[in-house]
Amino acid sequence: GAVVSQHPSRVICKSGTSVKIECRSLDFQATTMFWYRQFPKQSLMLMATSNEGSKATYEQGVEKDKFLINHASLTLSTLTVTSAHPEDSSFYICSARPLHLRETQYFGPGTRLLVL
Amino acid sequence: DQQVKQNSPSLSVQEGRISILNCDYTNSMFDYFLWYKKYPAEGPTFLISISSIKDKNEDGRFTVFLNKSAKHLSLHIVPSQPGDSAVYFCAAIQGAQKLVFGQGTRLTINP
């Protein structure tokens, strides 16, 4: 099946620093990638939709200046958590939608962020 | 507004028996539904999907049923295996837009 990778898988940082998370589709091209956040024992919450070559679309309540998204190519999207605070600690998951399968999204393994 | 609901937070089934996970939705414009399986600290894994023009889709041990009039879908796993223990999310999509997830159901398969 289609493979999506995320890097890093786990990151610990100090409050006030910025953290970049990469999402790559390894064996397919994706014009659209999605960024989710999951809190403990809760469902996945869509943060933003990332389209290659254009600005990301953010969901209501998600600060675009806080969570910077760049979709530079058909296989790479990045999420940068700027000036991270402890409340940003969470599990961040990306997904990618193949060009030829408009309904299906393949998910990355997730990135655990801990802000001290 | 929870458009996709999984009302059972957990389900326990004996190995070898059938597991039935349920999902309800409110938006009649959803035209595609998916089931994902998720282990702790991992991303969701796609299991099976169904278009709104169908009422059943089968793939190995997994079958998804869709009842459009009731706005209800279910995932059947038979026979259930210990490796099936995970959290299962149903998701709906409208016109190739974003996925809307349910809250998830934790399935535990007992030996």
Side-chain angles (χ1 to χ4, degrees), chain A residues 10 34 36 38 41-44 46 49 59 91 93 95 97 102-110 112, chain B residues 2 31-32 34 36 38 41-46 49 89 93 95-99 101-104 106:
Chain A
R10 181 188 294 263
F34 303 85
Y36 295 83
Q38 185 181 28
K41 298 184 180 180
Q42 293 189 29
S43 184
L44 289 86
L46 179 64
T49 301
E59 294 300 300
F91 192 57
I93 307 173
S95 71
R97 184 166 68 200
R102 71 182 188 96
E103 296 90 3
T104 304
Q105 292 181 27
Y106 295 98
F107 285 80
R112 172 74 62 190
Chain B
Q2 190 74 30
D31 55 9
Y32 206 80
L34 308 93
Y36 285 88
K38 187 180 182 303
E42 294 184 11
T45 303
F46 170 73
S49 62
F89 290 95
I93 191 168
Q97 299 302 314
K98 60 187 180 183
L99 285 175
F101 282 90
Q103 308 94 312
R106 180 176 300 278

Side-chain angles (χ1 to χ4, degrees), chain A residues 41-81:
Chain A
K41 298 184 180 180
Q42 293 189 29
S43 184
L44 289 86
M45 182 192 79
L46 179 64
M47 298 174 64
T49 301
S50 167
N51 292 296
E52 188 264 340
S54 64
K55 290 184 178 181
T57 303
Y58 289 82
E59 294 300 300
Q60 191 174 5
V62 178
E63 299 176 57
K64 62 179 182 180
D65 295 329
K66 172 78 172 176
F67 299 98
L68 300 179
I69 291 173
N70 182 274
H71 194 155
S73 74
L74 289 173
T75 59
L76 172 64
S77 177
T78 60
L79 168 69
T80 302
V81 183

